[in-house]
Amino acid sequence: MKLICIGDSLTYGYGISRRETWIALTAVRTGMEIGNAGICGDTTGGMLARFRSDVMEKRPKAVFMMGGANDMITGCPSFVPQSNLMSMAHQALSAGIFAMIGIPLPYWKEGIREDWAAFASGNLREEEADAYRAWLLRFGETFGIPVVDFWTPFSELTRRGEAQDYYLDGLHPTREGHALMAQTMCEALTRTGLWHPSRI
């Protein structure tokens, strides 16, 4: 089964070798053909602009979409990533492609690089990220689109004081973080019926 994942650096795997990204780990574990269409620094507008070439024209059985963090870092109002993700999801569904959306990791403020924090210029607001997460959950529920929640396990790590082992820089996951994301994705694929562990 062919699955394409489109997104930003969280999808691409910033700072991590190609074989250690959550997408590569998920592909090995499931035996699925998974394409990585992540671009570091991309926004949901960029994802939407390349959605036809990177997803639709490749005719996958399923697509996973995750983005929005860069939109918010650059000061975009929340309706921008919401509108772009909704457009991509419905384009996929209209073409008979199984659609999934992801909730990005929460920021770990204590670990964010000073230059990146300065660039974000106060746009790394927890309340806005929380509201975006809530919208993604409502959107998925309303339209029957499975949501892969990467937010919750990483929030729990922060609550337990263990985030330093799972974040490279407060925004991107380490190898351990990618392993956790792969586990979360595999569980989601099982729930959707796209992957059955007993068959591997």
Side-chain angles (χ1 to χ4, degrees), residues 116-138:
W116 286 359
F119 171 74
S121 183
N123 290 323
L124 295 173
R125 295 189 295 271
E126 291 181 10
E127 61 274 16
E128 186 171 355
D130 285 339
Y132 182 55
R133 172 178 177 266
W135 181 87
L136 289 170
L137 290 169
R138 289 197 306 273

Side-chain angles (χ1 to χ4, degrees), residues 6-8 37-39 42 45-55:
I6 187 168
D8 51 30
I39 293 180
D42 204 5
M47 292 164 56
L48 178 59
R50 58 190 174 88
F51 193 72
R52 176 162 295 279
S53 61
D54 285 4
V55 178

Side-chain angles (χ1 to χ4, degrees), residues 5-187:
C5 299
I6 187 168
D8 51 30
S9 56
L10 292 180
T11 297
Y12 175 79
Y14 170 85
I16 299 297
S17 72
R18 297 300 81 206
R19 67 178 181 274
E20 294 177 315
T21 66
W22 68 267
I23 289 180
L25 295 173
T26 300
V28 169
R29 181 172 175 183
T30 63
M32 295 168 59
E33 177 186 353
I34 306 180
N36 188 332
I39 293 180
C40 293
D42 204 5
T43 62
T44 56
M47 292 164 56
L48 178 59
R50 58 190 174 88
F51 193 72
R52 176 162 295 279
S53 61
D54 285 4
V55 178
M56 304 287 282
E57 292 178 358
K58 292 181 169 53
R59 301 180 180 274
K61 178 176 181 179
V63 61
F64 169 84
M65 301 156 283
M66 182 169 68
N70 290 323
D71 299 66
M72 288 183 278
I73 285 173
T74 53
C76 281
S78 60
F79 67 80
V80 173
Q82 292 172 7
S83 175
N84 290 333
L85 274 171
M86 185 164 69
S87 179
M88 287 185 282
H90 285 292
Q91 285 186 45
L93 293 173
S94 70
I97 300 171
F98 188 90
M100 303 172 70
I101 56 176
I103 301 178
L105 279 56
Y107 313 128
W108 178 46
K109 287 193 172 182
E110 290 81 356
I112 296 177
R113 283 173 33 180
E114 290 185 7
D115 56 341
W116 286 359
F119 171 74
S121 183
N123 290 323
L124 295 173
R125 295 189 295 271
E126 291 181 10
E127 61 274 16
E128 186 171 355
D130 285 339
Y132 182 55
R133 172 178 177 266
W135 181 87
L136 289 170
L137 290 169
R138 289 197 306 273
F139 175 69
E141 181 179 4
T142 300
F143 293 99
I145 298 173
V147 177
V148 184
D149 183 7
F150 295 120
W151 175 285
T152 297
F154 281 82
S155 292
E156 180 62 19
L157 289 169
T158 299
R159 187 190 68 79
R160 298 200 308 258
E162 300 172 7
Q164 68 276 3
D165 294 328
Y166 292 84
Y167 282 90
L168 284 173
D169 49 24
L171 299 173
H172 303 98
T174 60
R175 288 181 298 174
E176 292 80 6
H178 276 270
L180 178 57
M181 291 179 73
Q183 175 184 332
T184 303
M185 184 63 169
C186 287
E187 291 170 355

